[in-house]
Amino acid sequence: MAELHPGSNMPPSHEGDPNDGVGQYTGYKYLMFDPEHEDYPKEAFAEEGRSGQLRLWWELEVAPGKRKQSFGAEQKLAAWMAFNLDIGDRFNIRMLREALGSEVVPNEQERLNRRFRELRKDDWEVPSNKDDRTLPSATYRLDAKGWHPALGARPPRNVVSERTRRQVLDRDGWRCVVCGIGGNEPYPDGFGTAYLTAGHIRPRAAQGDSSDLNNLRAECKRCNEPVRNEMRVPETVAEILPSVRNLNKPELQRLSDWLDLGHRTRDRLDDLYDRARMMGFDDREDLKARVRRLLGR
């Protein structure tokens, strides 16, 4: 790294136009990029404290522009993922520890899960095997990138609290109101299981309130923010119409209602099943046996 001469705003190894693209002019001093990391874009670098040295965001020890304030592990993790992973990439703890070190990436998977839960508040989507059973154990997948320090100041977090989330899911029967799938149920196409969240009816970008229960509804992760690398290619009308024509009239009416509403409606059988699947294991097995007896089996 090039260092600044005392009393100078230009590093000793570079003289010339501050706009020539070799370094970065901050308005009060000129900073050089490390040639060892030339494969990274300029946005991947920041000043180490007030040292005049540019380092990769995830290698910083002192926050940019500060004298002593340490640079947070969560921000380092977000920065590394933003510049080193593509959507759909899979990774594990070992990979992160090799890249970032033990101070940023804890050895215990539960501690790392907590870090990822914090990232989700900044719109990162990083499912694990608990969210998607198609993933190997201890493996994560990057589904969506959220805020990271190279984007500037962190926007205010308008986050649904865990208490509010549970109130919404309890109210909506722990089922996605858009597609009807229940929490932890497998998707019909076989790609993963459903993870439920409290989605905004009026988006956060449109100042939707995260504390107003009337602005929240239960949504699975696909309906909340579609994961394109998991989803099938959308069908055309010509492809789906033959199946529609095979429906009987009551089924057509039900489909028409769903299309008009933009989500599935539920009947008493849906409600009974949801009540049953939330029971304890022993009670659920007892109920299964009683239903079989009612059927004469």
Side-chain angles (χ1 to χ4, degrees):
M1 302 286 178
E3 296 186 3
L4 295 174
H5 284 309
S8 169
N9 68 342
M10 295 291 290
S13 60
H14 182 79
E15 295 180 0
D17 184 359
N19 297 311
D20 64 5
V22 178
Q24 177 174 309
Y25 185 64
T26 67
Y28 68 97
K29 55 187 170 185
Y30 190 82
L31 306 172
M32 285 293 290
F33 291 101
D34 187 342
E36 293 181 4
H37 301 304
E38 60 184 6
D39 291 339
Y40 288 104
K42 294 180 179 181
E43 294 77 15
F45 296 82
E47 183 183 6
E48 176 76 59
R50 297 185 179 183
S51 67
Q53 296 180 336
L54 279 179
R55 302 182 69 183
L56 293 166
W57 280 102
W58 52 95
E59 294 180 350
L60 295 177
E61 297 299 329
V62 181
K66 304 296 183 180
R67 295 188 182 277
K68 296 182 179 180
Q69 181 180 325
S70 61
F71 193 61
E74 183 185 325
Q75 297 179 76
K76 292 182 182 181
L77 184 60
W80 186 89
M81 291 169 60
F83 290 104
N84 290 277
L85 295 177
D86 293 323
I87 300 301
D89 281 353
R90 296 184 179 190
F91 57 97
N92 55 35
I93 293 178
R94 180 179 178 181
M95 181 189 302
L96 294 177
R97 285 175 65 86
E98 288 177 352
L100 299 171
S102 59
E103 291 184 3
V104 178
V105 183
N107 193 40
E108 300 89 345
Q109 186 160 339
E110 181 53 37
R111 287 180 60 198
L112 184 59
N113 281 333
R114 287 198 294 270
R115 288 270 169 84
F116 284 145
R117 285 196 290 271
E118 289 300 307
L119 290 181
R120 290 187 183 116
K121 296 176 183 179
D122 290 320
D123 296 324
W124 287 83
E125 292 189 14
V126 188
S128 67
N129 175 262
K130 292 182 180 179
D131 306 310
D132 185 345
R133 294 301 180 186
T134 66
L135 288 171
S137 177
T139 299
Y140 300 86
R141 185 184 62 239
L142 178 59
D143 281 352
K145 295 183 180 182
W147 176 86
H148 56 87
L151 295 176
R154 174 185 268 136
R157 287 176 168 178
N158 189 10
V159 181
V160 178
S161 69
E162 184 60 27
R163 178 182 179 184
T164 300
R165 173 180 172 272
R166 289 191 64 86
Q167 287 179 312
V168 171
L169 297 185
D170 285 340
R171 181 198 64 194
D172 294 340
W174 288 79
R175 282 192 172 274
C176 174
V177 301
V178 180
C179 70
I181 197 167
N184 295 320
E185 287 186 351
Y187 283 106
D189 60 12
F191 287 92
T193 55
Y195 171 79
L196 296 182
T197 187
H200 294 79
I201 298 172
R202 188 183 184 203
R204 285 180 293 177
Q207 288 76 52
D209 189 353
S210 285
S211 61
D212 182 2
L213 293 178
N214 293 323
N215 187 49
L216 298 169
R217 64 184 181 183
E219 295 178 356
C220 71
K221 68 175 183 179
R222 287 189 178 181
C223 295
N224 179 253
E225 187 170 344
V227 182
R228 296 302 178 190
N229 62 291
E230 284 187 0
M231 303 286 278
R232 298 177 296 177
V233 175
E235 295 180 86
T236 64
V237 173
E239 290 172 324
I240 200 172
L241 195 56
S243 297
V244 173
R245 286 176 173 153
N246 286 330
L247 298 176
N248 58 39
K249 192 168 183 178
E251 290 172 332
L252 279 171
Q253 183 59 58
R254 197 174 186 187
L255 176 61
S256 177
D257 292 340
W258 291 355
L259 292 172
D260 288 340
L261 290 169
H263 62 82
R264 292 176 48 163
T265 54
R266 295 159 50 80
D267 57 26
R268 62 179 182 174
L269 192 57
D270 290 316
D271 292 333
L272 272 173
Y273 174 71
D274 286 338
R275 291 165 62 187
R277 71 189 185 91
M278 300 301 290
M279 298 168 69
F281 178 80
D282 291 340
D283 284 335
R284 193 165 59 248
E285 290 298 307
D286 185 19
L287 181 61
K288 285 164 62 176
R290 290 171 183 267
V291 170
R292 291 193 190 101
R293 288 200 293 271
L294 289 171
L295 287 170
R297 295 181 185 174

